[in-house]
Amino acid sequence: MQIFKVGGAVRDRLLGKPVTDVDWVVVGATTEEMLAKGYRPVGADFPVFLHPKSGEEYALARTERKSGRGYGGFTFHASPEVTLEEDLIRRDLTINAMAEDDQQNLTDPYHGQRDLEARVLRHVSPAFAEDPLRVLRVARFAARYAELGFSIAPETLELMSQLSDSGELEALTAERSWKEISRALMENQPQVFIEVLRECGALKVLMPEVNALFGVPQPEIHHPEIDSGIHTLSVLEQSALHKQPLTVRWACLLHDLGKGLTPEEEWPRHIAHEHKGLKLIKAVNARFKAPKDCQELAVLVGQYHTHGHRALELKASTLLELLQSFDVYRRPQRFEEFIAACEMDARGRKGLEQRSYPQADYLRGAATVARGVAVQPLLEKGFKGPELGEALKRERLKALKTYKEASAC
């Protein structure tokens, strides 16, 4: 039995980056031997075990063969005869197909270290094209390592394009797709993920609603970058620069989908794009089974982001309706994330990235004022049930009018 550290742990050590998760491959062992040493089995499809003390994953060296469509369409074979090189060749990229023993002696049959030094993301073998999930994975790695100057090898990009055209992407499950998308959005340059998907033709398959934004103009006076797709990428970039959470980044990606539905004869204006985009946002949410908090914020940002930009101009009654829509009394964090998404939208414009966004503090102040209206005096006056709700609404409206007048001075 020989044990090797493999994949990302080796890659990141060589890059001088922190190593968080460690994967191990065991060569020359059987399932029975692993169980006898106290390892606990966890793999339903192939032999993966948890170390009895560390809890880290140890997988028996294995080969795989394509047997169906999609990410799960593979037959695995694990036995003591499978070599380390045979196990590594089934991996996606050369930089992920390296291994090292406990003395840090490197096994690198597919020149991953050379590609690390050259800053190239390159597939290990033609078998790359058998797994459609790898299109998303490579795009995610491109986003992760863009700041280090990595690019995708032309021949790998060509295989990704072939996969995008093959119909295999449609066989991916929502869960697997979302796992890659959500991880990619949390990288330092998530816009690169979208750019790569678009370049290889995957974006029009996975997110045609986002793909449709490219080439759609906006009024230059408000959007110097003009192109709606470029604007979306810039908003996503800003969300990463400002360390926004996944909910905000997802909303930033989807906030302008309605602009893709505007007839060409109406360009560059996009009247009511907020309302038109709601059905598209809901469709994308459902397609990837995004978490509930991501879904809710994306819909609300899509519907109300222009309200955010016009906050200082809104009537007190409209401002109250906005606050009510977000349930700022019970869910203040969601409204804070809405404000953040609006600010990223405003900053995601060419040449305006550093412009201040006074609407943010104004909206926060309005929420504080509305939340500050006490219920107890109304109860003491005898209000209850629906009448209490209406009385509370009147008091909040009165408070917001006073706030608006004071802010204007």
Side-chain angles (χ1 to χ4, degrees):
M1 180 189 295
Q2 292 178 289
I3 298 177
F4 297 89
K5 187 182 295 183
V6 294
V10 180
R11 176 197 69 227
D12 288 342
R13 184 185 71 79
L14 292 172
L15 281 173
K17 298 179 75 69
V19 175
T20 51
D21 297 321
V22 180
D23 293 318
W24 304 87
V25 160
V26 183
V27 177
T30 64
T31 296
E32 291 73 23
E33 288 176 289
M34 298 296 285
L35 295 175
K37 290 180 178 291
Y39 287 83
R40 303 190 306 277
V42 293
D45 299 322
F46 44 81
V48 177
F49 304 84
L50 297 182
H51 191 279
K53 292 183 179 179
S54 70
E56 292 178 328
E57 286 192 357
Y58 285 67
L60 295 185
R62 62 188 186 270
T63 59
E64 62 185 30
R65 179 174 55 83
K66 184 73 169 173
S67 59
R69 293 189 74 206
Y71 168 79
F74 291 89
T75 300
F76 295 94
H77 170 67
S79 79
E81 287 72 40
V82 177
T83 66
L84 179 61
E85 289 74 12
E86 288 174 324
D87 181 273
L88 293 175
I89 199 172
R90 66 181 177 76
R91 298 173 185 270
D92 51 7
L93 298 172
T94 59
I95 65 170
N96 296 330
M98 296 180 285
E100 60 184 25
D101 61 18
D102 56 3
Q103 301 298 313
Q104 291 192 342
N105 295 311
L106 190 68
T107 299
D108 182 19
Y110 309 109
H111 312 296
Q113 189 171 23
R114 181 187 66 189
D115 283 340
L116 274 184
E117 294 169 355
R119 299 299 194 248
V120 174
L121 302 174
R122 190 191 317 276
H123 64 282
V124 177
S125 76
F128 174 95
E130 295 178 351
D131 185 355
L133 190 66
R134 288 175 170 174
V135 173
L136 292 168
R137 280 178 54 82
V138 174
R140 173 165 64 83
F141 280 117
R144 174 180 297 180
Y145 296 124
E147 62 186 10
L148 297 180
F150 274 78
S151 61
I152 301 173
E155 60 271 27
T156 301
L157 195 62
E158 175 59 29
L159 282 182
M160 293 166 67
S161 298
Q162 291 176 18
L163 267 172
S164 299
D165 292 338
S166 70
E168 281 272 329
L169 290 177
E170 295 162 7
L172 291 174
T173 65
E175 292 79 8
R176 292 299 304 179
S177 296
W178 176 254
K179 183 177 180 180
E180 293 297 328
I181 291 168
S182 59
R183 292 178 70 183
L185 290 181
M186 292 309 295
E187 300 291 358
N188 288 335
Q189 295 197 35
Q191 77 281 2
V192 172
F193 174 71
I194 301 300
E195 290 172 340
V196 169
L197 292 183
R198 182 166 178 257
E199 187 176 3
C200 72
L203 190 62
K204 65 184 178 185
V205 178
L206 297 168
M207 300 184 199
E209 301 88 350
V210 176
N211 191 67
L213 295 174
F214 291 89
V216 175
Q218 305 165 104
E220 188 173 2
I221 188 172
H222 300 301
H223 288 278
E225 72 285 351
I226 300 177
D227 189 287
S228 297
I230 299 301
H231 167 63
T232 295
L233 294 179
S234 298
V235 176
L236 198 52
E237 181 179 13
Q238 288 297 315
S239 73
L241 286 173
H242 290 270
K243 308 299 182 184
Q244 299 297 342
L246 177 61
T247 47
V248 173
R249 299 188 191 202
W250 182 242
C252 285
L253 177 62
L254 305 185
H255 78 285
D256 263 351
L257 293 188
K259 291 179 178 178
L261 296 177
T262 304
E264 288 189 31
E265 59 269 20
E266 295 180 16
W267 290 355
R269 301 180 68 200
H270 298 280
I271 299 171
H273 75 275
E274 306 91 345
H275 177 72
K276 294 176 183 176
L278 293 183
K279 63 180 180 181
L280 301 184
I281 294 172
K282 291 175 181 177
V284 178
N285 277 335
R287 184 179 311 137
F288 297 110
K289 296 182 180 178
K292 186 177 180 181
D293 56 348
C294 289
Q295 294 199 30
E296 290 178 349
L297 187 66
V299 170
L300 288 166
V301 170
Q303 185 171 1
Y304 292 114
H305 64 276
T306 51
H307 275 46
H309 301 327
R310 295 176 51 244
L312 279 70
E313 308 163 25
L314 296 179
K315 296 185 297 184
S317 58
T318 305
L319 193 54
L320 179 59
E321 289 174 9
L322 177 66
L323 297 174
Q324 301 273 90
S325 297
F326 279 85
D327 191 7
V328 297
Y329 318 108
R330 293 181 298 177
R331 301 186 62 180
Q333 182 58 31
R334 184 167 66 176
F335 191 62
E336 186 60 37
E337 291 179 351
F338 165 73
I339 294 172
C342 290
E343 184 170 354
M344 298 308 99
D345 186 24
R347 291 181 181 275
R349 297 179 295 166
K350 185 178 180 181
L352 304 176
E353 295 86 355
Q354 304 303 320
R355 178 177 286 190
S356 63
Y357 194 69
Q359 296 93 323
D361 285 339
Y362 181 79
L363 287 168
R364 290 188 185 102
T368 300
V369 166
R371 282 196 295 265
V373 174
V375 179
Q376 189 61 35
L378 299 176
L379 291 172
E380 292 172 357
K381 290 181 180 180
F383 288 106
K384 56 184 178 181
E387 290 182 347
L388 175 62
E390 287 301 314
L392 191 56
K393 187 174 180 180
R394 286 194 298 271
E395 290 302 312
R396 285 169 174 163
L397 181 58
K398 188 187 303 182
L400 286 172
K401 285 180 178 178
T402 302
Y403 172 72
K404 183 173 175 61
E405 291 169 1
S407 300
C409 296

